[in-house]
Amino acid sequence: MKTTDVRDPAYFHKVVDCQWACPAHTNVPEYIRLIAQGKYTDAYMVNRESNVFPAILGRTCDRPCEPACRRGRVDEKDHKPVAICRLKRVAADLRGDISHLLPKIPKQSNGKRIALIGAGPASLTVANDLRPLGYEVTLFEKQDKPGGLMRTNIPSFRLPEQVLSDEVGVILDMGVDIRYNSPVKSLRALLDEGYDGIFVGTGAPRGKDLDIPGRQEAAANIHIGIDWLESVAFDHIHSIGEGVLIIGVGNTAMDCCRTSRRLGGKDIKVMARRPRGYFKASEWELDDAEEEGIQIVINHAPKRFVLENGKLTGMEFERLEWDAEAKKSRVLETIFLPADDVILAIGQENAFPWIERDLGLEFDKWGMPVVDKTTFECTRPGIFFGGDAAWGPKNIIWAVAHGHGAAISIHNHCQGIPVSDRPTQGSNLVSQKMGLSEWSYHNDYNPAPRQRMKHVDLVERFSKLNIEVELGFSAEQTAREVQRCLNCDIQTAFTAKRCIECDACIDICPVQCLTIAKDGPEEEVRQHLSAPAVNGDQALYASAPLPQTGRLMLKDEDVCVHCGLCAERCPTAAWDMQKFDLLIPYAGASCTTSYASQLETSPR
């Protein structure tokens, strides 16, 4: 086997499963340790460096980090990951003043002008990265408030307006020239204004319709989900009928049904074509909806809207039997469900009627711009896309990641550097040794179960539309939850020349992730491990040949719990526990440091 090169930042980065899974690669273990120490402002800033909106995402993120969490794989009790997202909110809610920690904005412009279209998370991230470099940033927003779909499509009972405005305001206060009520109606006209770069972050603003019989005749009581949520957010809609059918079962559908409950809906049903295992909505969104009395009906396909005397009375559905193995269904019967209003939440589409088709921008067969997935540049140089506008609907954290990447490209473009010239990541590895067998981090396994978020009482939460349902963790819950983190960024570092092959590390390893074996092809070596390395996506560490026998020290990174027992037991200090810090480059900044690496803190 080839000796593992731990100097490659990607190697240990992939071992930190939560950080690897996060599109913005937020340093999760570091900010959890800082929370454990009560250093909430530092924890917030570690978050903000990469994800820009910790308070917003601490309430609304789709949490791609949590399914990847190692705790969910090794916990025999409940197999539940660390509540990473909710701990993010703890740091945000308890942070102090951060104004002195933000990047300084040059008084003098660098002479380059950038236009951003749409004040959503992707565009705001671009502005966040470019303003400290002296770029003049003009942001065009069609609404009279910033935030994009974060404001219009996430209800205030999930994301309070003040939380949204505060974090967005930090970026706008960097000197962004934001122009409200200013939709861009012609890209050609914008190009004629001579901007040095243009970023399109307009999201996926068009909700999908449902073209079945009765749709046009009952139009007054049939609503497109994202448009309806926007009307509620801007105070144009204040009520809805008592009987409501929500078509679709994604996160937008959950926001629609819960909002309907607060606007007067009593008999609310969410209609799904398939069983629960196929739902796009997050599990916690489904739980919250059901807690509020929403009924989720599976295996029902819309057939037609039913009207009496020109007024909507309900819908007909085909009740289906779903065959999971064959991935098909058959109709059992047709049923009628009464309704006063129907909300369609069956997906979103992009719309670019304002982009003329003779400007050198190529579009694919679905009407989407052709955008390079690495540089975020379209086929016309100097124009970049990100967020939902680039490849369709995803989530806020993906939009943030796109914004960081696009900002690098915009900076390169304006400085005459090829946009394909991407800065590389770096890393730091620092020993955590404090004594013969003592470490500067807490390495005990805490069996505490995942903490349950407290919610506002049901009666109270329905009294107003803007009462935030989730109350956040208490101090006691926070203390328990941070101790559940396994410190996956504290890596086992091995020095082959010190090893005497005594097997002490192998004997003490609680998960049998270590093996000393003869060299050979990886497929063959994997057959001789103490525990089978079944996850092929996770690396198998291979040392240089050991000095005694020439065999290799092998380690299955997938099952290691970073307990440090191997390093404590080793008589020659061949094993060490070293903290890994991924250094992520941003626009105009090298990857020589990170906020975490600047902190003079000792991990718990």
Side-chain angles (χ1 to χ4, degrees):
M1 286 189 61
K2 184 179 179 181
T3 300
T4 301
D5 182 8
V6 297
R7 295 171 301 177
D8 179 0
Y11 178 76
F12 281 139
H13 181 199
K14 196 170 183 179
V15 176
V16 190
D17 302 82
C18 52
Q19 187 177 21
W20 178 262
C22 174
H25 304 311
T26 300
N27 190 343
V28 173
E30 179 69 13
Y31 82 68
I32 290 179
R33 278 193 297 270
L34 290 165
I35 291 171
Q37 298 168 31
K39 297 178 179 178
Y40 305 113
T41 303
D42 285 334
Y44 179 86
M45 292 305 296
V46 167
N47 263 282
R48 194 188 183 284
E49 183 174 41
S50 56
N51 75 28
V52 184
F53 305 109
I56 294 170
L57 286 165
R59 291 165 165 82
T60 65
C61 191
D62 278 356
R63 313 177 191 176
C65 54
E66 292 192 13
C69 176
R70 193 177 301 266
R71 180 78 185 216
R73 304 201 300 270
V74 304
D75 198 330
E76 297 179 0
K77 200 166 189 178
D78 59 3
H79 296 285
K80 291 184 178 179
V82 174
I84 297 169
C85 183
R86 284 167 170 165
L87 288 174
K88 190 192 312 290
R89 173 180 170 174
V90 169
D93 288 354
L94 298 178
R95 74 186 185 274
D97 178 32
I98 64 167
S99 58
H100 63 292
L101 300 173
L102 295 170
K104 304 302 179 185
I105 308 302
K107 294 181 179 180
Q108 192 72 28
S109 165
N110 67 7
K112 302 293 184 180
R113 299 166 57 244
I114 309 300
L116 311 179
I117 308 174
S123 293
L124 289 167
T125 302
V126 175
N128 176 82
D129 289 4
L130 293 184
R131 277 298 296 139
L133 301 178
Y135 287 91
E136 296 176 38
V137 174
T138 303
L139 183 49
F140 296 90
E141 169 54 42
K142 68 177 182 179
Q143 304 288 359
D144 59 0
K145 294 180 180 179
L149 295 184
M150 295 189 296
R151 181 178 298 277
T152 61
N153 280 187
I154 301 178
S156 55
F157 56 81
R158 285 182 57 213
L159 176 60
E161 182 177 6
Q162 191 61 53
V163 173
L164 172 65
S165 297
D166 284 350
E167 285 201 314
V168 171
V170 168
I171 297 173
L172 298 183
D173 289 345
M174 291 179 175
V176 176
D177 175 15
I178 185 164
R179 301 181 184 180
Y180 297 114
N181 302 309
S182 301
V184 174
K185 298 179 179 179
S186 166
L187 181 58
R188 187 191 308 279
L190 191 65
L191 286 167
D192 289 343
E193 293 186 31
Y195 287 98
D196 297 286
I198 294 175
F199 177 80
V200 180
T202 50
R206 184 170 62 192
K208 292 183 179 180
D209 209 335
L210 185 61
D211 187 15
I212 57 175
R215 171 66 179 95
Q216 299 306 317
E217 295 82 349
N221 293 94
I222 301 173
H223 317 280
I224 302 297
I226 62 172
D227 296 338
W228 184 78
L229 287 171
E230 180 179 306
S231 295
V232 173
F234 285 97
D235 213 27
H236 301 316
I237 289 179
H238 304 93
S239 63
I240 199 167
E242 291 190 359
V244 185
L245 294 174
I246 313 292
I247 311 302
V249 71
N251 286 338
T252 297
M254 296 303 102
D255 289 336
C256 288
C257 69
R258 296 179 69 193
T259 301
S260 297
R261 182 73 174 82
R262 288 156 172 78
L263 295 185
K266 294 182 178 178
D267 180 14
I268 305 171
K269 295 181 176 66
V270 174
M271 309 302 297
R273 287 177 176 268
R274 294 185 178 184
R276 195 174 184 114
Y278 293 91
F279 291 179
K280 291 184 177 180
S282 304
E283 193 61 38
W284 54 91
E285 298 271 17
L286 295 166
D287 292 344
D288 287 348
E290 289 177 320
E291 182 184 21
E292 295 179 358
I294 309 300
Q295 184 180 355
I296 298 176
V297 183
I298 64 171
N299 297 344
H300 281 66
K303 187 176 182 180
R304 71 183 182 97
F305 296 98
V306 179
L307 296 87
E308 286 186 12
N309 300 321
K311 182 179 179 181
L312 178 73
T313 59
M315 289 185 70
E316 272 190 7
F317 293 86
E318 293 178 336
R319 189 168 73 85
L320 310 173
E321 181 179 66
W322 179 255
D323 186 336
E325 289 189 10
K327 294 185 178 181
K328 63 180 182 180
S329 59
R330 68 184 184 93
V331 179
L332 298 178
E333 61 178 332
T334 298
I335 67 167
F336 169 78
L337 292 176
D340 300 305
D341 287 276
V342 175
I343 301 177
L344 305 178
I346 55 178
Q348 295 168 229
E349 297 175 323
N350 294 78
F352 300 102
W354 51 277
I355 298 181
E356 294 84 354
R357 295 308 193 257
D358 60 349
L359 297 177
L361 283 77
E362 292 181 19
F363 286 79
D364 62 22
K365 60 182 179 181
W366 297 285
M368 291 290 289
V370 176
V371 179
D372 187 280
K373 290 186 179 295
T374 301
T375 67
F376 302 92
E377 189 174 42
C378 69
T379 52
R380 173 167 175 147
I383 300 177
F384 305 85
F385 287 74
D388 294 353
W391 297 288
K394 281 199 173 183
N395 51 55
I396 298 172
I397 192 63
W398 273 106
V400 169
H402 292 175
H404 285 313
I408 291 173
S409 293
I410 293 170
H411 177 66
N412 283 6
H413 171 76
C414 290
Q415 302 303 317
I417 303 169
V419 294
S420 57
D421 187 358
R422 314 305 290 180
T424 58
Q425 294 179 339
S427 64
N428 279 334
L429 278 169
V430 180
S431 176
Q432 302 303 290
K433 186 178 287 292
M434 292 180 67
L436 189 61
S437 60
E438 185 178 359
W439 310 104
S440 62
Y441 75 106
H442 184 75
N443 65 341
D444 286 346
Y445 176 83
N446 192 313
R450 181 181 169 112
Q451 301 300 294
R452 293 178 59 85
M453 176 70 73
K454 293 182 180 179
H455 288 178
V456 171
D457 179 75
L458 277 172
V459 175
E460 183 183 351
R461 75 176 74 167
F462 298 143
S463 62
K464 291 182 180 179
L465 184 62
N466 62 353
I467 292 178
E468 186 174 13
V469 172
E470 293 189 348
L471 294 171
F473 280 159
S474 66
E476 293 77 10
Q477 287 179 308
T478 299
R480 295 189 190 102
E481 193 62 35
V482 293
Q483 292 297 335
R484 297 183 71 238
C485 178
L486 296 175
N487 297 287
C488 293
D489 63 332
I490 309 295
Q491 306 295 343
T492 50
F494 184 70
T495 305
K497 64 183 180 181
R498 294 178 182 170
C499 180
I500 57 174
E501 302 184 45
C502 65
D503 285 358
C505 57
I506 295 171
D507 292 341
I508 202 170
C509 179
V511 292
Q512 296 183 301
C513 67
L514 300 176
T515 307
I516 298 178
K518 291 181 179 180
D519 196 0
E522 182 169 342
E523 310 80 50
E524 182 180 320
V525 168
R526 282 182 178 265
Q527 305 304 313
H528 297 93
L529 300 178
S530 301
V534 295
N535 185 358
D537 291 333
Q538 190 66 275
L540 180 64
Y541 171 82
S543 73
L546 302 179
Q548 306 296 324
T549 64
R551 295 183 299 170
L552 306 181
M553 177 65 75
L554 303 165
K555 175 173 180 278
D556 181 6
E557 298 283 11
D558 187 54
V559 297
C560 177
V561 292
H562 304 255
C563 63
L565 291 176
C566 56
E568 289 183 13
R569 185 70 177 272
C570 181
T572 62
W575 286 106
D576 187 19
M577 303 305 295
Q578 299 182 359
K579 186 173 74 169
F580 168 79
D581 182 21
L582 179 70
L583 304 177
I584 304 173
Y586 297 104
S590 66
C591 57
T592 57
T593 188
S594 67
Y595 188 86
S597 67
Q598 297 174 44
L599 296 174
E600 294 182 2
T601 59
S602 297
R604 75 174 191 279

